[in-house]
Amino acid sequence: MLRIANIEKRFGPIEVLRGVDFDVDAGEAVALVGDNGAGKSTLMKIITGVYRASGGEVVLDGRTITGIAPGEIRTLGIEMIYQNLELAREQDVTTNIFLGREPTRRIAGFDTGIIDHAKARREAERMVRQLGARVPSVDIRVGNLSGGQQQSVAIARALTFSPKVVIMDEPTAALAVREIEHVLQLIKELKGRGISVILISHRLTDVFEVADRIVALRQGKVIADEKTGETTMQRVVSHIVGAH
């Protein structure tokens, strides 16, 4: 589904990424791990079009998307959920899910441009229900939800784009244990739908629960790409810190 081929990124004389290669299959969860400064964030910004690669290419479902604008990449099927979630916390769940792409009313086949609030609410309820999200009501203000519930809203919003790949940046950071389990279950739900997931996380217990493969970055290079069932947490830590 997604191929990262020999990606390089330089900022002047500083080489941040040095020929990064890995693939993500449809319905596969790949964890991207590495210490701060390993190049994870830079790589994600290249995949989503925020940065232009200095070399190499990103291929989505057989199409090269290197250098395409972020909006078009999103339309083609890559959705990023940032650690801060980027939710409008003063607005309700429905508004957040459809923010900027609200369904509108059609009369006699013509789009009136008038927001169809009833349809938006129905669709929001359907998405939340199908996702199994523990959100008490789509009318509740997002700022009143727990961290795990807000993560659910962010995932529901991502699904409105019918993504092929969802990138999640530290989705379980600062969550309570019960909420972490729920978010991990949501990741499994995405996989079950055939959606590919790239999980950036420092929580290796979470990584080992949901990831099919673990890709370790160090100093801008992939230094390990292993199936989760064929490695150990100690081995992954050694990849991250360079203690071989």
Side-chain angles (χ1 to χ4, degrees):
M1 182 58 70
L2 184 70
R3 181 162 59 90
I4 313 301
N6 198 32
I7 288 293
E8 300 175 351
K9 182 60 181 176
R10 292 180 292 276
F11 295 98
I14 301 173
E15 197 173 25
V16 180
L17 297 175
R18 301 182 291 156
V20 173
D21 284 287
F22 69 90
D23 298 332
V24 185
D25 291 334
E28 182 182 37
V30 174
L32 189 65
V33 301
D35 220 340
N36 293 331
K40 302 187 302 296
S41 295
T42 299
L43 179 60
M44 293 307 105
K45 288 177 180 177
I46 288 173
I47 294 173
T48 55
V50 176
Y51 287 165
R52 186 179 292 268
S54 303
E57 64 176 356
V58 180
V59 180
L60 175 67
D61 203 13
R63 173 177 176 174
T64 299
I65 61 170
T66 316
I68 292 179
E72 187 176 352
I73 287 177
R74 197 176 201 185
T75 302
L76 290 172
I78 295 181
E79 182 71 18
M80 174 103 188
I81 301 175
Y82 293 93
Q83 187 173 353
N84 64 6
L85 302 182
E86 296 186 333
L87 296 172
R89 287 173 170 77
E90 297 303 315
Q91 302 297 322
D92 62 25
V93 171
T94 299
T95 301
N96 271 274
I97 289 176
F98 290 101
L99 193 63
R101 53 190 182 280
E102 296 85 354
T104 54
R105 296 179 185 174
R106 297 182 69 85
I107 298 178
F110 294 96
D111 192 342
T112 64
I114 299 171
I115 296 174
D116 190 336
H117 293 286
K119 181 179 180 180
R121 189 179 186 282
R122 287 196 306 272
E123 285 297 300
E125 285 185 327
R126 181 183 63 81
M127 293 177 68
V128 165
R129 184 171 59 251
Q130 286 186 349
L131 197 57
R134 298 169 184 165
V135 176
S137 168
V138 295
D139 300 319
I140 196 169
R141 189 173 69 93
V142 165
N144 291 337
L145 297 175
S146 68
Q149 290 170 332
Q150 289 186 25
Q151 191 64 253
S152 299
V153 174
I155 294 172
R157 180 183 61 186
L159 292 179
T160 64
F161 281 101
S162 300
K164 298 174 181 176
V165 179
V166 174
I167 303 170
M168 306 181 75
D169 185 11
E170 299 288 354
T172 57
L175 295 184
V177 173
R178 186 177 177 183
E179 291 191 312
I180 289 172
E181 287 302 316
H182 177 56
V183 171
L184 296 180
Q185 187 57 46
L186 292 178
I187 294 173
K188 294 175 184 176
E189 172 71 18
L190 294 179
K191 291 170 56 180
R193 294 184 178 204
I195 297 171
S196 305
V197 178
I198 297 178
L199 172 65
I200 303 169
S201 180
H202 285 95
R203 289 181 53 90
L204 293 184
T205 51
D206 299 347
V207 165
F208 272 82
E209 182 168 340
V210 297
D212 300 292
R213 286 190 6 257
I214 301 172
V215 174
L217 275 185
R218 191 169 72 242
Q219 297 178 351
K221 295 188 71 174
V222 173
I223 46 90
D225 184 343
E226 301 172 337
K227 292 181 179 180
T228 307
E230 297 176 359
T231 189
T232 65
M233 198 171 297
Q234 183 178 2
R235 182 174 170 83
V236 173
V237 170
S238 71
H239 292 322
I240 293 171
V241 301
H244 292 292

